[in-house]
Amino acid sequence: MAKPKTTYVCQNCGAIAPRWAGRCDACGQWNTIVEENPEQPLAAGVQLPKGKSRKLQPLAGESAPPPRIATGISELDRVTGGGFVPGSALLIGGDPGIGKSTLMLQVLATLANAGRRAVYVSGEEGLDQIRLRAQRLGVLDAPLLLASETNVSDIVATLRRERPEVVVIDSLQTLWTPVVESAPGTVSQLRAGAEAMVRLAKKTGAVTLLIGHVTKEGQIAGPRVVEHMVDAVLYFEGDRGHQYRILRAVKNRFGATDEIGVFEMRGHGLVEVPNPSQLFMGDAGREVAGAAVFAGVEGQRPLLVELQALAVPTTFATPRRAVVGWDAGRLAMVLAVLEARAGVRLGQHDVYLNVAGGMRVREPAADLAAAAALVSSLSGRPLPAGTVVFGEVALSGRVRAAPLTEQRLREAAKLGFSLALVAEDSQLPENPGLKVERVADVTALAARLLRE
Ligand code: TYD
Ligand code: MG
């Protein structure tokens, strides 16, 4: 038999390279390729063992909804779609230091206090550190069991004996399987560890919460290869300089994926923010050139967010574009459309775009607000006081209606806004509660903002 060849695996994206290289061809990251032992492939020509023929089932049929373990933390229950499903495995991703361990310890303590059997396995911190955190969170008396362990075999043996209903593994990157001959934190180790934990979840019915660190670029280092194994992927995001944290479901086999939960990081842990619609408004209220309030929707909830743009004449050969909280590609598109369709020239300007409060905006409907902020910054004229903006901008320059127009308008009216700039073909409710102006395209938007 040929001796197994070693493979080279990118620790960022999981791509396999034929030889070592300084830069991964697949994702472009530097210094991420590591030599690993290959998993046993199915050799060519090997026959699969003969299988049994199975009876097929009709699609129609009664099926009860899955049982749920509600956590009592309503922002988390909202994101999971009503609580954890027994036997499911969830990946909790986020930057180091964002608050994953804090959130998970709070969740486990709440469940333990409600009489659930809960186990916290940490390979990142010792028992003393976990106790210190629990003390800070005021949950030191919760009947919660701890282990400081990284060896997957030991963890599995322990959990099989203890039979918890909920277990946290902190973190995937520290798991270590003795039969895999790569260092902890490599893709092979991560995959093997996650596989063992997911299998155990299905077998014992324990809700298994796997914490995974994300790289700066927003990818879970390595465990992107884990995303397909788990039932749900929740990202914990936010800016460490701000106190707000957002838990976002990017995959959920048991619920919607567009819901977010909002928390505030305080001195004694994370606190729920049940009504977040005005958290991300920045200086709204003061009239500043370059600021536009976007009436957004996250999941079922309207959320008003301020977009801030700054355009200054450049001193560089290639003007700078920097964006925080929004997609850089989208900014480039809006800039190009403004220039080509409305004659708003920003080619000689550095452009900065920031979403207030550390929020990340993903809706295409934010285009029009970004365009308004850019036009306002360039012209030095603030938007009319009390204005919200939403609509998607097409490459033709046309503004397209956003879904859930009524919810956006109602929330804006509720928060005291008096004017909304929306797409021409928006479906307006009978009585929106504020003045609504339709803009057909970016030219009309620019004209509207430069009027008066
Ligand atoms: P942590 O949960 O350790 O982050 P992660 O597990 O995602 O790496 O959170 C660490 C940060 O949160 C740390 O910088 C301190 C801050 N923090 C608070 O502000 N208040 C608290 O009550 C706790 C426990 C942490
Ligand atoms: Mg941690």
Side-chain angles (χ1 to χ4, degrees):
M1 202 184 133
K3 101 177 189 337
K5 278 209 316 230
T6 48
T7 54
Y8 297 87
V9 182
C10 171
Q11 303 302 306
N12 185 51
C13 69
I16 295 174
R19 68 191 70 82
W20 192 86
R23 181 168 181 270
C24 171
D25 282 341
C27 68
Q29 290 296 304
W30 288 92
N31 291 329
T32 54
I33 294 186
V34 167
E35 181 177 338
E36 292 188 18
N37 285 344
E39 281 135 70
Q40 286 286 279
L42 201 58
V46 169
Q47 289 279 316
L48 282 175
K50 218 178 172 74
K52 282 193 218 99
S53 154
R54 302 282 188 193
K55 185 168 177 281
L56 300 178
Q57 301 292 333
L59 170 64
E62 294 279 309
S63 235
R68 296 271 186 179
I69 299 179
T71 58
I73 300 175
S74 60
E75 291 296 296
L76 178 63
D77 289 341
R78 167 195 295 278
V79 176
T80 51
F84 298 131
V85 175
S88 63
L90 295 88
L91 177 63
I92 318 291
D95 287 324
I98 204 73
K100 302 180 294 297
S101 303
T102 305
L103 179 67
M104 287 300 111
L105 190 58
Q106 281 181 265
V107 169
L108 275 203
T110 311
L111 287 170
N113 280 330
R116 302 281 181 181
R117 234 182 130 62
V119 172
Y120 193 101
V121 181
S122 178
E124 302 246 328
E125 292 156 317
L127 299 182
D128 288 341
Q129 275 171 297
I130 303 173
R131 290 199 181 105
L132 270 177
R133 179 181 283 128
Q135 193 173 17
R136 187 169 174 188
L137 302 174
V139 298
L140 203 49
D141 51 359
L144 175 64
L145 295 169
L146 304 181
S148 177
E149 188 54 69
T150 57
N151 184 322
V152 174
S153 306
D154 293 352
I155 294 173
V156 168
T158 311
L159 295 177
R160 274 178 187 274
R161 188 192 66 226
E162 292 290 334
R163 292 277 164 168
E165 288 169 271
V166 193
V167 52
V168 168
I169 306 290
D170 189 3
S171 65
L172 274 179
Q173 272 91 350
T174 61
L175 288 184
W176 173 74
T177 312
V179 290
V180 178
E181 289 175 31
S182 307
T186 54
V187 169
S188 318
Q189 283 288 2
L190 269 161
R191 195 182 294 158
E195 233 160 40
M197 298 320 305
V198 172
R199 213 175 313 125
L200 189 70
K202 305 287 168 232
K203 199 160 174 108
T204 62
V207 175
T208 302
L209 299 151
L210 305 166
I211 295 179
H213 294 296
V214 168
T215 58
K216 267 214 301 302
E217 290 70 33
Q219 290 161 341
I220 294 193
R224 282 218 301 179
V225 290
V226 169
E227 286 189 357
H228 72 276
M229 288 183 211
V230 294
D231 298 297
V233 179
L234 311 182
Y235 277 94
F236 205 37
E237 23 172 85
D239 188 304
R240 272 214 269 169
H242 291 96
Q243 71 270 45
Y244 296 111
R245 301 283 181 273
I246 289 157
L247 189 66
R248 190 188 290 274
V250 296
K251 163 180 173 177
N252 191 353
R253 287 192 182 141
F254 303 110
T257 50
D258 46 7
E259 287 294 345
I260 63 165
V262 183
F263 297 87
E264 186 182 343
M265 181 62 97
R266 298 245 186 97
H268 56 276
L270 289 154
V271 182
E272 293 181 68
V273 182
N275 188 6
S277 62
Q278 32 187 334
L279 287 187
F280 303 101
M281 299 249 283
D283 290 335
R286 279 200 302 125
E287 282 188 37
V288 187
V293 176
F294 165 52
V297 172
E298 291 284 350
Q300 301 296 313
R301 275 190 303 198
L303 189 74
L304 271 59
V305 209
E306 188 184 73
L307 304 192
Q308 304 161 347
L310 181 64
V312 285
T314 188
T315 53
F316 300 104
T318 314
R320 285 200 65 169
R321 271 89 183 87
V323 35
V324 178
W326 202 45
D327 184 40
R330 244 85 207 141
L331 173 64
M333 186 202 80
V334 168
L335 287 172
V337 172
L338 278 174
E339 165 135 16
R341 311 291 177 193
V344 177
R345 298 197 188 284
L346 285 154
Q348 297 303 317
H349 287 76
D350 292 334
V351 173
Y352 303 89
L353 191 98
N354 178 44
V355 179
M359 176 71 189
R360 255 202 90 77
V361 173
R362 285 156 207 242
E363 277 190 277
D367 294 351
L368 193 63
L374 289 164
V375 170
S376 160
S377 176
L378 185 67
S379 66
R381 291 192 191 200
L383 267 69
T387 304
V388 295
V389 188
F390 59 91
E392 183 179 346
V393 172
L395 287 180
S396 62
R398 267 193 66 79
V399 181
R400 281 201 290 241
L404 302 171
T405 294
E406 182 170 350
Q407 276 93 320
R408 296 174 204 265
L409 292 174
R410 295 227 177 284
E411 189 68 18
K414 200 173 97 190
L415 293 177
F417 285 83
S418 51
L419 173 65
L421 302 181
V422 306
E424 200 168 44
D425 56 351
S426 297
Q427 300 255 332
L428 295 186
E430 284 265 312
N431 189 359
L434 76 173
K435 189 168 169 229
V436 179
E437 285 181 28
R438 298 168 186 268
V439 280
D441 51 30
V442 286
T443 313
L445 174 78
R448 172 65 184 86
L449 296 181
L450 301 178
R451 201 175 78 197
E452 282 162 20

